[in-house]
Amino acid sequence: MSLMAFTNFSQIVTLQGALVKDGRNLSSEDLSIIENASIVFDSNEIKWVGPHTDLPADYAGISTEDFTGKVLLPEVVDSHTHLVFGGDRSNEYSMRLNGADYQEIANAGGGILSTMKSTNNLTQKELLDLAISRVEKIHSYGVGTIEVKSGYGLNYEKEKECSLIIDKLKSHFKGRVQIINTFMAAHAVPAKYSSSNEYLNKVVIPLLKELAPLHIIDAVDIFHESGYFDEVDTQQLFDVASILGIRVKSHADEFQDNKGAILAAKNGALSTDHLLMTSQDGIEALANSSTVATLLPGTGFFLGKPQADAKAFFDAGVKVAIASDYNPGSCHCDNVILIASIAAPHYKMNIAHLWSAITLNAAHALGLKNQGAIQEGLAPRFSIFDVNHIDKITYNWGTNFSIN
Ligand code: NIG
Ligand code: FE
């Protein structure tokens, strides 16, 4: 693509201040908003951004589109979804309203293992078609990068198929939506295995070793939680991933503080996610690391559980992202902008923390260091909204202003 100018935005929200501060300890000014702004870019990078009146004369003849009355932000990223699945678990919602909790429902035959059955009942084509329609819907909100986890196949062949489906999603959406393929065969332990470690060694690790040379896996994730995978399993998987040269992540400290955040930070994980029960030592470990703490408020809302102590994370200087956790069980909501808008007042986030959490920090949670702010030299990844001021997006909870 040759040079292109998008001109006359009411605001370009650059997040340059947030970038300088590595997404931590932000104040509202770190949104670094330019009013009446324009941007010049090619397919690889942003060439120039600034007030329209300062647009260099050299760019006078290039292809130009006018965006009067609109706002441009760094691309919104949903850094945690489980959108390859069959079936639905709508019945669990009313079970919860009747008093059952997530783990009781899982023990009664619901939960991840019930989605495993529905997923195994669908063909690769059926699962891919469902996943494509889910990505289309998420993209319609203005989300341009979506992380997708495998993890509902839970046997060697179906997990392999799920990872290949995510790879197909990646090529299907190439140039339109960036898909990040996270391998999460360590999502739950099927009943036929006597221990989590047996499943890990018979299925998860051999499959990861088979897929790694195909270069389709961007990251490895594990549900480090009691009743799922323990610290020994998690460290073993992290070690294998490290040898294979693949970055790691974890679901940690969701039901109890199992020191998952500390283990993730120690292993240089890209992110560790959930963190509802993480205690101060875990928060400190994250603050002193490059690991992003990804909070998933939709899951707490949906399950009726308490929320993460977000203020403690911000006060300690942790780099915080927010993601949807879109999945059929614990959060059947796919709109990360809505979720972040609802969560921010409860999390006592300022507006720079809110937008960094779903742009800059979310991109870094996926290892995407060349995006997340609007600055010369970074990738031209941005989201455009049909509002004349950024505050109107979060003020109008749940209204979709995206222009795609
Ligand atoms: O992030 N915690 C593990 N995975 C999902 C839940 C998946 C499910 O309930 O199906 C989560 O909440
Ligand atoms: Fe999850």
Side-chain angles (χ1 to χ4, degrees):
M1 183 178 79
S2 48
L3 276 181
M4 175 98 205
F6 284 1
T7 58
N8 291 309
F9 286 95
S10 292
Q11 298 181 316
I12 290 186
V13 181
T14 70
L15 259 71
Q16 287 179 6
L19 180 65
V20 169
K21 293 183 176 174
D22 191 30
R24 305 166 195 256
N25 298 311
L26 306 181
S27 58
S28 309
E29 295 70 45
D30 294 315
L31 287 178
S32 308
I33 296 175
I34 307 172
E35 310 280 344
N36 303 316
S38 295
I39 181 170
V40 178
F41 57 96
D42 64 14
S43 54
N44 293 321
E45 61 178 27
I46 295 167
K47 296 291 187 190
W48 182 88
V49 61
H52 183 68
T53 47
D54 293 352
L55 185 68
D58 322 356
Y59 297 130
I62 67 175
S63 167
T64 297
E65 217 174 305
D66 181 87
F67 285 89
T68 301
K70 317 260 188 291
V71 167
L72 181 144
L73 280 144
E75 182 187 79
V76 178
V77 172
D78 192 344
S79 64
H80 182 141
T81 80
H82 305 252
L83 60 73
V84 179
F85 63 86
D88 91 47
R89 308 218 308 265
S90 46
N91 61 323
E92 293 181 10
Y93 187 90
S94 56
M95 288 170 79
R96 278 197 296 280
L97 295 190
N98 288 336
D101 87 352
Y102 183 77
Q103 282 153 297
E104 285 165 5
I105 292 169
N107 295 338
I112 296 173
L113 294 178
S114 83
T115 299
M116 171 190 84
K117 288 192 192 106
S118 329
T119 302
N120 276 277
N121 283 337
L122 296 189
T123 64
Q124 180 166 356
K125 168 90 172 66
E126 288 168 328
L127 286 169
L128 176 62
D129 287 348
L130 280 171
I132 287 173
S133 65
R134 289 170 187 148
V135 169
E136 287 287 4
K137 189 153 161 274
I138 294 172
H139 182 51
S140 76
Y141 308 136
V143 179
T145 293
I146 305 171
E147 186 254 23
V148 183
K149 301 176 196 294
S150 60
Y152 288 113
L154 298 174
N155 61 61
Y156 197 97
E157 281 314 313
K158 206 66 179 176
E159 277 303 322
K160 182 172 165 182
E161 192 177 295
C162 289
S163 291
L164 295 173
I165 286 169
I166 301 170
D167 190 52
K168 287 201 160 75
L169 274 184
K170 194 183 271 202
S171 32
H172 179 91
F173 284 100
K174 196 169 170 42
R176 213 153 68 84
V177 186
Q178 180 173 221
I179 301 289
I180 300 298
N181 189 341
T182 296
F183 175 86
M184 199 180 175
H187 193 194
V189 183
K192 68 185 250 201
Y193 297 96
S194 61
S195 70
S196 54
N197 203 261
E198 185 194 354
Y199 172 64
L200 191 78
N201 281 290
K202 288 198 170 143
V203 174
V204 178
I205 290 175
L207 179 57
L208 180 59
K209 287 182 173 165
E210 181 186 335
L211 294 176
L214 306 181
H215 302 291
I216 63 170
I217 303 299
D218 299 309
V220 170
D221 199 345
I222 182 165
F223 195 7
H224 178 187
E225 190 64 60
S226 41
Y228 296 84
F229 297 89
D230 63 16
E231 185 174 339
V232 171
D233 301 326
T234 305
Q235 187 62 59
Q236 189 185 347
L237 184 61
F238 284 177
D239 289 343
V240 171
S242 158
I243 290 165
L244 296 170
I246 304 175
R247 300 292 298 273
V248 298
K249 304 165 121 358
S250 64
H251 284 58
D253 303 339
E254 182 181 1
F255 305 141
Q256 62 188 55
D257 179 24
N258 51 15
K259 306 297 169 199
I262 295 174
L263 192 73
K266 200 174 89 190
N267 281 274
L270 283 169
S271 76
T272 182
D273 305 24
H274 281 295
L275 313 174
L276 302 193
M277 308 304 286
T278 304
S279 52
Q280 195 58 32
D281 53 351
I283 293 174
E284 296 297 334
L286 290 172
N288 294 316
S289 77
S290 61
T291 300
V292 175
T294 300
L295 306 183
L296 306 167
T299 309
F301 294 145
F302 205 66
L303 297 182
K305 297 227 178 213
Q307 290 288 339
D309 184 3
K311 188 170 179 306
F313 287 79
F314 287 115
D315 288 350
V318 176
K319 189 165 175 175
V320 175
I322 287 180
S324 71
D325 194 21
Y326 173 52
N327 73 73
S330 68
C331 184
H332 197 246
C333 173
D334 61 6
N335 188 336
V336 70
I337 301 175
L338 170 66
I339 287 173
S341 306
I342 297 175
H346 299 274
Y347 280 6
K348 311 283 182 237
M349 300 168 82
N350 63 45
I351 193 77
H353 275 303
L354 165 53
W355 283 105
S356 293
I358 56 174
T359 58
L360 178 73
N361 293 2
H364 289 189
L366 300 175
L368 303 168
K369 292 287 188 132
N370 68 337
Q371 67 180 79
I374 304 299
Q375 179 163 289
E376 275 172 40
L378 290 182
R381 303 202 68 90
F382 36 75
S383 299
I384 299 175
F385 296 93
D386 191 9
V387 287
N388 60 10
H389 193 289
I390 185 181
D391 288 349
K392 302 220 172 143
I393 304 171
T394 44
Y395 173 64
N396 293 286
W397 275 6
T399 304
N400 182 7
F401 294 103
S402 161
I403 297 171
N404 274 318

